[in-house]
Amino acid sequence: MTNMPIAIRPARAADAHALAALSIQVWLTTYTEGVSDLFARYVLSEFTPEKFLALLEASDVSLRVAEVDERLAGYALVRSGVPQPLVPESDSELCTLYVQEPFTRCGVGSALLRAARASYDGLWLLVNVQNLRACRFYEKHGFVIRGSTDFVLGEGRHRNHVLATPLRD
Ligand SMILES: CC(C)(COP(=O)(O)OP(=O)(O)OC[C@H]1O[C@@H](n2cnc3c(N)ncnc32)[C@H](O)[C@@H]1OP(=O)(O)O)[C@@H](O)C(=O)NCCC(=O)NCCS
């Protein structure tokens, strides 16, 4: 999948089903080994076409997709107006950056991140401390660790780094 043309564009309503399907696939691949009832219920309620359609209507959300050969390869979702005490200078959260597995390590994530960063003065995000691939990716893009927080799902607590773009001089 190298040297493929990657097109970045704003998401539209017709993308809603593909966004939901890709999200479920990427989330399960990234965070699970085997699908428990809890995980199944989580992805099926969290990633629905209806929720993506609502995001597209929201004025505080920016949703961009990456296409390869007119198929969805990944997306980036940023929401503004989300305060993070560890990053007082920015209230814009990169909520989701997902690339479908066959397109990883081909520059798709970087292209989506560049497009997202171009629209905001600064960004913060959460990344699971065990997601070493994503940690390396954000480190390569200059993000710095500001602290940590827990993501709670059922009985499980999952440690996340709070990362932020570097402060400007
Ligand atoms: C993390 C993720 C977004 C990276 O996207 P990507 O399209 O694979 O990244 P790129 O191809 O643009 O890689 C850019 C750089 O990141 C680093 N990187 C990416 N994947 C890496 C890996 N598997 N191992 C080490 N470094 C890696 C490298 O420095 C790479 O540059 P290089 O290829 O020139 O060495 C993607 O792997 C993904 O969607 N993973 C699953 C979901 C996820 O974890 N999202 C982030 C949650 S916060």
Side-chain angles (χ1 to χ4, degrees):
M1 294 274 184
T2 50
N3 296 327
M4 59 203 181
I6 303 163
I8 308 291
R9 63 162 174 81
R12 41 188 182 241
D15 300 315
H17 285 79
L19 284 162
L22 181 140
S23 302
I24 290 172
Q25 185 185 32
V26 172
W27 195 92
L28 289 173
T29 304
T30 304
Y31 300 113
T32 68
E33 287 178 7
V35 181
S36 66
D37 182 65
L38 176 71
F39 293 156
R41 287 175 188 273
Y42 175 75
V43 292
L44 290 172
S45 62
E46 192 67 17
F47 303 117
T48 64
E50 293 72 26
K51 283 199 173 177
F52 280 103
L53 287 172
L55 287 169
L56 286 168
E57 295 291 316
S59 57
D60 55 352
V61 162
S62 149
L63 184 52
R64 288 187 179 82
V65 299
E67 278 187 328
V68 175
D69 235 355
E70 295 180 20
R71 291 190 184 179
L72 185 69
Y75 73 93
L77 170 66
V78 180
R79 190 185 283 275
S80 48
V82 190
Q84 166 50 253
L86 293 166
V87 190
E89 77 278 9
S90 169
D91 68 355
S92 301
E93 179 186 8
L94 177 60
C95 306
T96 317
L97 177 61
Y98 282 178
V99 178
Q100 199 197 27
E101 200 58 41
F103 299 104
T104 56
R105 212 70 199 261
C106 302
V108 174
S110 297
L112 284 165
L113 183 59
R114 270 194 301 274
R117 284 182 75 168
S119 304
Y120 297 89
D121 281 342
L123 290 175
W124 67 270
L125 63 95
L126 304 178
V127 62
N128 188 304
V129 300
Q130 292 176 336
N131 188 351
L132 298 180
R133 171 169 71 171
C135 292
R136 279 189 216 109
F137 169 83
Y138 290 120
E139 186 186 1
K140 158 127 184 184
H141 284 279
F143 282 73
V144 289
I145 298 176
R146 292 291 190 85
S148 62
T149 184
D150 283 347
F151 171 68
V152 178
L153 182 58
E155 302 291 300
R157 297 184 83 82
H158 307 274
R159 203 79 181 145
N160 277 238
H161 292 305
V162 178
L163 301 185
T165 44
L167 286 168
R168 296 216 170 114
D169 298 332

